[in-house]
Amino acid sequence: MKGLAIKSGEVGLPRYLLLLVAAVLLPLLLGVVFSFVAARQEIKQELETTSKAILHQAESISRQAWQMVSYLGRFRGQLCPEVLPELVRLATLSPYFRSLGLIQGQDMYCSSIAGDNRIPFNEIIIQPLPSPFPVLWNTSLRVTRGVKTRPAVMFSEMPSADFGAFAIVDAQYLIDIMSAIGSSQNYLLGIKFGEGYLIEEGHPDRQAFGFISPSHHRESAAHDAISVDVTIPASRMMRLWWQGFITFLPFGLIISFIFVSFVRSWQQRKMSLKDELRKGMLNNEFAVHYQPVYDTVRERCGGAEALLRWNRAGGRSISPDVFITAAESEGLIIPLTLHLFQLLAADVRHWQVPDDFHLGINIAAEHIQHPDFADDIRRLAAQLSPHHVKITLELTERSLISNTSDVMLKLTQLRKEGFLIAIDDFGTGHCSLSYLQTFPLDYLKIDKGFVGTIESAANDTPILDTIISLSKRLKLAMVAEGVSSAEEYQYLKHCGVEYMQGYLYARPMASRQFVYWLQERGEGPMEVAPVYQGRH
């Protein structure tokens, strides 16, 4: 009956309902999260695509403007009447330009609009001039002298104080592009050249929706000193989020249905397994197998461990790890243990064993804490004692940790009455070493995992050696589990381990087979080839 130390916890109706609610809501919540992430990603892509499209058009206009300004540099040293017709022609035939002109000092002395009238350049662009006047300068303007209803962009090149050229681009071209791109989605778009005026288009809803605020992105072209700002209203994010969720909803409902079906099926299987455990006990589907324990001192079988097995109708067997775990979680471990006691009493009636034959019985932590535990053990002992079978209670480390004082009182009393106490699978749980001195113990069973290191550890088994040394210091007898090779046997015997249990000696067997085995092979030394070379 291995595996009794697994944590119990019955799944009741409230927890089942909670799982059902989670099965319904979890896919929908995931849909909300996924659609939100997808909407955020789409908004991000819209921001980047929109800003790059506007920036690309602005860079194209900027390149043409700089090329025009550079072309006007050929008019250096010429009088305005000589170049004015060409300025007018260029301004008329070239796209985008509001005016072209020439600068001398801080004055415009010739332009396609004002002719040869000398006008301070700051009055043309209606803003102060930088000092000193930069060689290359472009800036966005709120208005110009000639057109006070629309913004513009000015490009100038002034290689010397006595000459320069400029081109003013009408910003309406950029405004039209921004309007075409953003009006359908109510975007707010802005573009700025240098440190100039921010040219904006659009009037978005600036209202936030809960934790969702309008989304903003800026794209810049450092070489042209251009920056584009795009703002998308929160309502656009909400629409995309809702559309994504509606698209996901049918899929989410299908997942919810699958999850609910799974939870219901799982709960039904648990309820079914609980019922099947009860039916299995009523229908005598459980049986006990007995694995002999070899006494290395007396060189004979000194006892056996009782192992519960479940063979379903039709020949299908259920693993002890499965049905014992289910019994614990469903609150049936104590009834299952009492059923084991009944099976033991029925089997032992047909045995003939030596007077000092010990039968190891695994005890669940839940059982040892039950008020009737000691009486249950005494009743079993009364049934077994006429057949010369003594009981060894094999406890897991978890049994000692839970409700320590009550467990200690029970074990102390039972030990006084002649029962032996063993710690099963020592080293695999969370038992404090101090418990080994505190509790009344007789045996320490070394887990097969430590025994298995003998052949694979290249002559180094520090944990196993420590457990053996600790047992000796505490004057506890030792039972090695899982001994399956001659090398393991020889090493453990050399270290002073008194009892061994494993396939090397005998496999677990049903009661009738065990009785026959005991008569044929129970007396006499174990046949093991001498392979041990010595390690200490």
Side-chain angles (χ1 to χ4, degrees):
M1 204 166 69
K2 294 289 186 181
L4 292 177
I6 299 176
K7 185 176 181 179
S8 63
E10 185 171 356
V11 179
L13 183 60
R15 184 177 173 186
Y16 170 61
L17 294 177
L18 182 62
L19 287 174
L20 279 180
V21 172
V24 173
L25 295 182
L26 182 59
L28 300 180
L29 291 176
L30 290 176
V32 170
V33 173
F34 291 156
S35 58
F36 176 79
V37 172
R40 286 290 298 270
Q41 188 64 28
E42 188 169 348
I43 288 291
K44 180 181 178 182
Q45 186 173 0
E46 285 186 14
L47 288 168
E48 293 177 353
T49 301
T50 302
S51 59
K52 287 179 179 178
I54 297 172
L55 184 62
H56 175 75
Q57 186 64 24
E59 289 179 312
S60 176
I61 294 175
S62 180
R63 282 194 299 272
Q64 295 183 56
W66 283 120
Q67 290 172 1
M68 180 61 74
V69 170
S70 177
Y71 179 81
L72 296 179
R74 66 176 57 190
F75 300 139
R76 181 173 183 173
Q78 299 183 42
L79 298 176
C80 184
E82 300 174 354
V83 301
L84 184 57
E86 181 65 7
L87 287 178
V88 174
R89 186 187 71 83
L90 291 172
T92 302
L93 298 179
S94 302
Y96 306 130
F97 297 112
R98 181 180 294 180
S99 67
L100 303 174
L102 303 177
I103 306 171
Q104 193 173 60
Q106 294 190 350
D107 297 333
M108 179 195 74
Y109 73 93
C110 187
S111 81
S112 61
I113 299 296
D116 61 354
N117 292 321
R118 181 176 287 271
I119 303 172
F121 192 55
N122 65 318
E123 293 183 10
I124 300 297
I125 63 175
I126 312 183
Q127 72 175 46
L129 300 179
S131 181
F133 203 100
V135 175
L136 296 174
W137 181 35
N138 74 315
T139 185
S140 45
L141 308 171
R142 188 176 64 84
V143 294
T144 61
R145 176 173 173 167
V147 181
K148 296 185 178 180
T149 57
R150 296 192 306 272
V153 184
M154 190 278 299
F155 300 83
S156 71
E157 181 175 9
M158 195 163 186
S160 64
D162 62 344
F163 178 79
F166 71 89
I168 296 179
V169 173
D170 198 318
Q172 188 63 45
Y173 297 102
L174 295 170
I175 292 174
D176 290 344
I177 294 170
M178 291 190 292
S179 177
I181 293 176
S183 60
S184 62
Q185 301 296 345
N186 204 23
Y187 292 172
L188 175 62
L189 306 174
I191 187 169
K192 183 166 68 172
F193 291 76
E195 298 298 326
Y197 174 73
L198 177 63
I199 303 170
E200 288 187 310
E201 174 62 20
H203 303 282
D205 184 0
R206 299 177 182 271
Q207 180 182 0
F209 285 83
F211 63 93
I212 301 177
S213 301
S215 304
H216 178 264
H217 177 70
R218 171 170 292 179
E219 195 81 22
S220 301
H223 55 281
D224 284 328
I226 306 172
S227 62
V228 175
D229 292 280
V230 180
T231 302
I232 295 180
S235 58
R236 172 65 176 163
M237 173 67 185
M238 289 296 298
R239 284 197 301 273
L240 290 175
W241 188 4
W242 176 248
Q243 291 170 4
F245 178 71
I246 292 299
T247 302
F248 174 84
L249 187 58
F251 182 65
L253 292 175
I254 293 173
I255 296 178
S256 293
F257 176 77
I258 293 173
F259 280 12
V260 169
S261 300
F262 175 79
V263 171
R264 288 176 59 86
S265 175
W266 172 76
Q267 180 67 10
Q268 288 173 358
R269 285 199 305 270
K270 288 186 68 65
M271 294 177 65
S272 175
L273 186 56
K274 184 176 182 178
D275 293 337
E276 291 300 323
L277 281 168
R278 290 196 178 104
K279 291 179 182 178
M281 288 186 277
L282 291 174
N283 296 335
N284 293 319
E285 295 178 354
F286 289 92
V288 185
H289 284 198
Y290 302 89
Q291 184 169 27
V293 176
Y294 181 64
D295 186 335
T296 62
V297 178
R298 300 182 183 182
E299 295 187 334
R300 63 179 177 86
C301 178
E305 180 180 3
L307 304 170
L308 191 61
R309 298 291 183 259
W310 187 9
N311 296 311
R312 303 298 311 277
R316 185 170 64 95
S317 62
I318 307 297
S319 168
D321 291 336
V322 173
F323 73 76
I324 291 177
T325 301
E328 288 194 315
S329 65
E330 299 299 336
L332 291 177
I333 191 61
I334 295 178
L336 186 61
T337 302
L338 296 178
H339 185 65
L340 167 68
F341 290 176
Q342 294 175 1
L343 296 176
L344 290 175
D347 286 345
V348 170
R349 284 202 302 267
H350 307 288
W351 289 7
Q352 291 183 353
V353 294
D355 291 346
D356 55 352
F357 187 90
H358 286 270
L359 182 62
I361 303 173
N362 287 269
I363 302 298
E366 290 80 0
H367 194 187
I368 196 173
Q369 296 175 45
H370 194 275
D372 295 336
F373 168 70
D375 290 336
D376 292 340
I377 298 299
R378 292 184 183 108
R379 279 192 292 269
L380 176 62
Q383 293 174 302
L384 301 186
S385 59
H387 307 284
H388 310 292
V389 174
K390 297 182 178 179
I391 296 175
T392 298
L393 303 177
E394 298 187 4
L395 311 175
T396 61
E397 296 180 49
R398 187 168 70 92
S399 302
L400 303 185
I401 296 174
S402 304
N403 200 357
T404 303
S405 59
D406 180 62
V407 172
M408 185 183 301
L409 290 174
K410 292 177 180 178
L411 294 182
T412 300
Q413 181 59 42
L414 289 174
R415 194 162 179 257
K416 289 179 180 179
E417 297 173 17
F419 297 95
L420 297 179
I421 312 296
I423 296 295
D424 194 15
D425 299 332
F426 179 75
T428 61
H430 307 281
C431 179
S432 171
L433 293 179
S434 63
Y435 288 1
L436 298 181
Q437 290 181 305
T438 304
F439 283 90
L441 304 175
D442 299 285
Y443 292 92
L444 189 151
K445 299 193 72 173
I446 304 172
D447 184 75
K448 62 183 179 181
F450 301 118
V451 173
T453 63
I454 293 174
E455 292 188 59
S456 60
N459 299 331
D460 187 15
T461 54
I463 299 178
L464 175 62
D465 295 342
T466 300
I467 294 174
I468 293 173
S469 176
L470 179 65
S471 300
K472 290 179 178 180
R473 290 177 62 86
L474 295 175
K475 294 181 173 55
L476 296 177
M478 290 172 282
V479 181
E481 298 181 293
V483 180
S484 58
S485 70
E487 184 176 0
E488 291 172 353
Y489 170 82
Q490 298 286 12
Y491 181 75
L492 293 167
K493 184 177 181 181
H494 176 80
C495 292
V497 177
E498 301 95 326
Y499 301 97
M500 300 194 198
Q501 176 183 347
Y503 288 177
L504 181 65
Y505 185 47
R507 293 174 176 268
M509 59 195 85
S511 176
R512 184 173 298 178
Q513 183 183 3
F514 172 70
V515 171
Y516 176 78
W517 180 93
L518 197 61
Q519 293 173 351
E520 296 295 321
R521 301 182 56 186
E523 295 290 338
M526 186 191 308
E527 296 180 3
V528 178
V531 297
Y532 175 69
Q533 301 294 327
R535 296 190 185 183
H536 292 279

